[in-house]
Amino acid sequence: MTYCVGIKLNAGLVFLSDSRTNAGVDNISTFRKMIVYERPGDRFMVLLSAGNLSIAQSVREILQLEQLHERPEVEPLTIWNARSMFDAARVLGNAVRHVYERDAEALQHAGVEFNVALVFGGQIRGEGMRLFQVYSAGNFIEATPETPYFQIGESKYGKPVLDRVITPDTPLDEAAKCALVSMDSTMKSNLSVGPPLDLVVYEANRFETDKIVCIDMQNPYYRMLHSSWGQKLREVFDSLEDPVWDDAHTDVPLKVAGGRSKPLKKISRSDERLI
């Protein structure tokens, strides 16, 4: 399993991925899940991958050379000559289908599902930034102001903090911090996600970035974030009032008469029924 997140903001893009791959509790390896494609001044793209590692690696390898032939008189489309991120995402989808056509039948005979999930985002000169999630069939959806981020892999543990913090107006550094908290929450609850982490932050309209870092558990910023987040969560939890069950005075009673739903019915005899 893995965990990757891509965030699209007005100010730029944030990408974060772990690097743990496991095929059982005694077979854990490290493989990076992120690749950056950059032609300074022209285009900047990032690909995150989750799912079957062999499929993901094949897609990544093919993508750099993949050509989408639409009409004989038109130059084949690649990620390097695409005029929009939408067209680049189409090339990526074609690469996924290419791998499916080559390997899916053999995988099926071996009892292995064709499973890959991708997040692909960036900016090509002439248009704004875009972010896509690509599925195993090669189809994709695009991030919107209402849904400004995509997660793939083990996503459930890191989702709550993203939902509470991320909006299109969130500053880049704050979004990077939020992504790291999301990753830390995931690693706390799931051993199949682990370091080192790859973090990339892209500022809008630069078409290149120098904000690329690999984070291990000795990284001073990550160690501070990990300890502070756990401590602050505990402090907030302790500040909440405990539920009151008796008639003691409280401004926030737990048991309230006349609610829309009645309390759970207890069964005390064998002939009683819930309905």
Side-chain angles (χ1 to χ4, degrees):
M1 188 55 75
T2 189
Y3 176 50
C4 303
V5 57
I7 305 172
K8 178 179 177 290
L9 310 162
N10 294 335
L13 298 161
V14 175
F15 300 93
L16 179 65
S17 63
D18 82 318
S19 59
R20 179 167 293 177
T21 298
N22 69 297
V25 295
D26 59 349
N27 186 11
I28 297 175
S29 303
T30 297
F31 290 92
R32 283 181 149 158
K33 317 295 175 58
M34 182 187 302
I35 186 167
V36 177
Y37 306 93
E38 179 183 276
R39 182 185 290 159
D42 178 56
R43 63 195 59 214
F44 176 88
M45 299 172 288
V46 175
L47 177 66
L48 307 175
S49 60
N52 184 289
L53 181 61
S54 67
I55 297 172
Q57 287 188 337
S58 293
V59 171
R60 288 166 52 170
E61 186 70 22
I62 288 174
L63 179 60
Q64 298 191 58
L65 303 174
E66 181 71 8
Q67 297 183 347
L68 183 57
H69 297 267
E70 296 189 302
R71 299 193 304 275
E73 69 275 12
V74 178
E75 180 184 9
L77 198 62
T78 73
I79 62 169
W80 299 110
N81 66 11
R83 294 184 178 273
S84 70
M85 282 299 302
F86 181 84
D87 281 343
R90 290 173 56 215
V91 176
L92 174 57
N94 205 57
V96 174
R97 287 187 285 270
H98 187 150
V99 176
Y100 180 87
E101 292 169 0
R102 187 191 69 185
D103 296 340
E105 186 175 353
L107 289 171
Q108 184 178 15
H109 287 319
V112 178
E113 180 185 2
F114 188 89
N115 174 34
V116 67
L118 305 160
V119 170
F120 184 54
Q123 185 176 19
I124 294 175
R125 181 169 292 281
E127 69 164 11
M129 301 171 297
R130 302 178 77 170
L131 181 68
F132 301 91
Q133 181 170 347
V134 184
Y135 300 99
S136 295
N139 57 321
F140 52 85
I141 59 175
E142 183 171 2
T144 66
E146 295 76 25
T147 307
Y149 70 86
F150 287 131
Q151 300 168 285
I152 53 176
E154 192 57 75
S155 60
K156 55 184 176 291
Y157 303 106
K159 190 174 190 297
V161 67
L162 295 171
D163 285 338
R164 290 179 180 275
V165 173
I166 298 299
T167 71
D169 294 324
T170 302
L172 274 175
D173 288 341
E174 186 175 311
K177 176 174 63 177
C178 184
L180 286 168
V181 169
S182 175
M183 180 66 75
D184 182 68
S185 300
T186 303
M187 291 195 295
K188 179 70 173 178
S189 300
N190 193 308
L191 293 176
S192 69
V193 178
L197 313 176
D198 287 309
L199 173 66
V200 171
V201 175
Y202 169 75
E203 299 173 45
N205 303 316
R206 279 200 61 195
F207 304 102
E208 61 181 316
T209 188
D210 55 2
K211 294 183 177 180
I212 300 179
V213 63
C214 182
I215 301 170
D216 60 25
M217 295 304 96
Q218 304 308 311
N219 181 280
Y221 181 82
Y222 181 80
R223 292 176 64 184
M224 176 278 298
L225 181 143
H226 173 76
S227 61
S228 297
W229 180 247
Q231 177 184 344
K232 296 299 182 183
L233 277 179
R234 185 70 218 191
E235 291 175 3
V236 170
F237 179 82
D238 290 341
S239 71
L240 300 174
E241 185 174 330
D242 294 336
V244 176
W245 293 94
D246 53 27
D247 294 331
H249 174 72
T250 176
D251 294 328
V252 284
L254 178 63
K255 298 178 70 174
V256 180
R260 294 184 60 186
S261 300
K262 295 181 179 180
L264 184 68
K265 181 182 178 181
K266 296 187 288 186
I267 302 296
S268 58
R269 301 192 313 273
S270 61
D271 60 344
E272 285 188 286
R273 297 291 182 268
L274 288 175
I275 301 175

